[in-house]
Amino acid sequence: MKIKSLLLACATACAIATPAMAEGGMFEGVLPEGWTADVVAAVKWNYYNFSNWQQDGTSNYTWLVTYDADVQGKWKVANWRNLVNLALGKTWTDGLGQRKSADKIFWESMLDFNLSEVLKPYIGNRFETQFLAGYSYSEDEEGNEVKKAVSSFMDPAYETQVAGLAYIPNEMFSQRLGFANRMTISHGYGFADDPDTEKFEKFKDEPGLESITEFKYTYKNIASFKSRLWAFVNFKGVDEIDGKWENLLAVTLVPYIEFQVGFDMAYDKDLSLDAQYKTMVLFGITWRWF
């Protein structure tokens, strides 16, 4: 049944992608004057099945659906940029069952005022959460798996308001530095709790300073690399710093088939005192909307 569901999902994705492939872009030519867009959707999967295979092997499959959009409107007085990044994926392994491999909802909207060619005051808003519940896994004294929910949709969720000054010398690089108020929303898992008060809280406000460094390079529609370094420190001290560094290299092998390599590193004192790392190697169907 699991194999049938997987094949059905892949077939549906291919059917949706076919018109976009044939026309060169699902919404090509519909952007109004002054707007640019870089929008890519992708479906990636792999599947292994072993039966009496003597050379060792574990049956497994992985699927991942992503949507990445960077839409900008440019005028004489100001530029308005919206970033949307969605990802959802799961991995099934024989003997362990199904677990999440990716789960992300990210939206960022920035309004840059054209003070000069490279220096631009800005205001913005950012929202981050996840689609599905997250779990931690352990074993009891008898070796049975213990599954415990540790997060869910809107728990945690992060809402951030920012204002500052951006340095944008060209289309490839930008550096933003400004004041930010980061709100953590958590109704059941303690992400918003204040350790100083030792009380359960649903909301936590953290005013502080934020830095965002972005680099993006594209080579002849064959390969692209993008990197984003985000850091936030509240006004309690430098030991309260949070950060995330995201990197993605994408190479088009043949039309609509893409190979991706990614490396992410994150640090959040509220989640773990150690840095977190994630490495990704992905292959699958990719189609461009714009």
Side-chain angles (χ1 to χ4, degrees):
M1 190 67 182
K2 294 178 180 178
I3 298 176
K4 292 182 180 179
S5 300
L6 178 63
L7 294 176
L8 179 61
C10 294
T12 302
C14 292
I16 295 173
T18 299
M21 295 176 182
E23 298 171 10
M26 188 176 291
F27 302 110
E28 187 178 19
V30 304
L31 286 173
E33 184 179 357
W35 285 85
T36 61
D38 183 6
V39 182
V40 178
V43 177
K44 301 176 176 68
W45 70 92
N46 62 53
Y47 171 73
Y48 286 93
N49 182 57
F50 299 89
S51 179
N52 194 34
W53 189 256
Q54 301 301 312
Q55 297 177 352
D56 194 13
T58 302
S59 298
N60 67 88
Y61 68 78
T62 299
W63 61 264
L64 173 66
V65 179
T66 62
Y67 177 84
D68 192 9
D70 184 349
V71 182
Q72 298 187 58
K74 298 182 178 181
W75 302 276
K76 183 177 181 181
V77 176
N79 303 326
W80 184 26
R81 183 188 187 197
N82 284 274
L83 297 176
V84 177
N85 186 251
L86 309 175
L88 183 63
K90 287 191 174 184
T91 297
W92 175 84
T93 303
D94 189 22
L96 292 177
Q98 187 171 248
R99 299 184 181 182
K100 282 199 303 183
S101 59
D103 192 355
K104 182 179 183 180
I105 299 175
F106 177 94
W107 170 67
E108 181 178 270
S109 183
M110 294 286 186
L111 185 62
D112 300 330
F113 298 95
N114 297 323
L115 178 66
S116 70
E117 290 292 331
V118 297
L119 295 177
K120 306 177 187 294
Y122 70 90
I123 57 174
N125 186 79
R126 183 183 311 111
F127 175 76
E128 303 166 84
T129 188
Q130 62 193 54
F131 288 100
L132 305 176
Y135 300 89
S136 66
Y137 299 87
S138 60
E139 293 185 353
D140 59 20
E141 296 179 353
E142 299 179 355
N144 299 317
E145 182 182 78
V146 177
K147 179 179 176 182
K148 179 183 178 182
V150 294
S151 62
S152 64
F153 175 70
M154 291 296 293
D155 194 354
Y158 300 97
E159 174 74 21
T160 306
Q161 300 82 39
V162 297
L165 185 65
Y167 172 66
I168 309 176
N170 51 56
E171 295 291 334
M172 294 190 301
F173 177 82
S174 67
Q175 172 64 60
R176 299 177 183 271
L177 182 64
F179 296 96
N181 183 72
R182 194 170 191 234
M183 175 186 288
T184 303
I185 304 168
S186 178
H187 294 280
Y189 296 105
F191 291 96
D193 292 352
D194 189 339
D196 295 333
T197 62
E198 297 184 354
K199 294 181 180 179
F200 174 78
E201 298 180 10
K202 295 183 178 180
F203 302 95
K204 178 173 67 175
D205 277 311
E206 293 182 282
L209 296 175
E210 178 182 87
S211 171
I212 302 174
T213 305
E214 290 183 290
F215 176 78
K216 184 176 182 179
Y217 178 76
T218 301
Y219 179 72
K220 297 182 179 180
N221 295 324
I222 298 174
S224 66
F225 173 75
K226 59 182 180 179
S227 179
R228 176 185 171 100
L229 176 62
W230 168 84
F232 172 80
V233 57
N234 64 29
F235 290 136
K236 293 182 179 180
V238 294
D239 63 329
E240 298 290 333
I241 190 170
D242 296 332
K244 182 178 290 185
W245 186 30
E246 300 172 296
N247 301 273
L248 182 65
L249 172 65
V251 179
T252 302
L253 303 178
V254 295
Y256 316 112
I257 302 296
E258 191 174 75
F259 174 73
Q260 293 184 346
V261 178
F263 172 76
D264 294 352
M265 181 172 66
Y267 178 77
D268 188 332
K269 185 179 179 180
D270 294 335
L271 302 179
S272 174
L273 296 178
D274 296 323
Q276 306 171 60
Y277 301 91
K278 181 171 69 173
T279 302
M280 301 156 287
V281 178
L282 305 170
F283 175 84
I285 295 176
T286 299
W287 63 98
R288 182 169 295 277
W289 292 24
F290 293 96

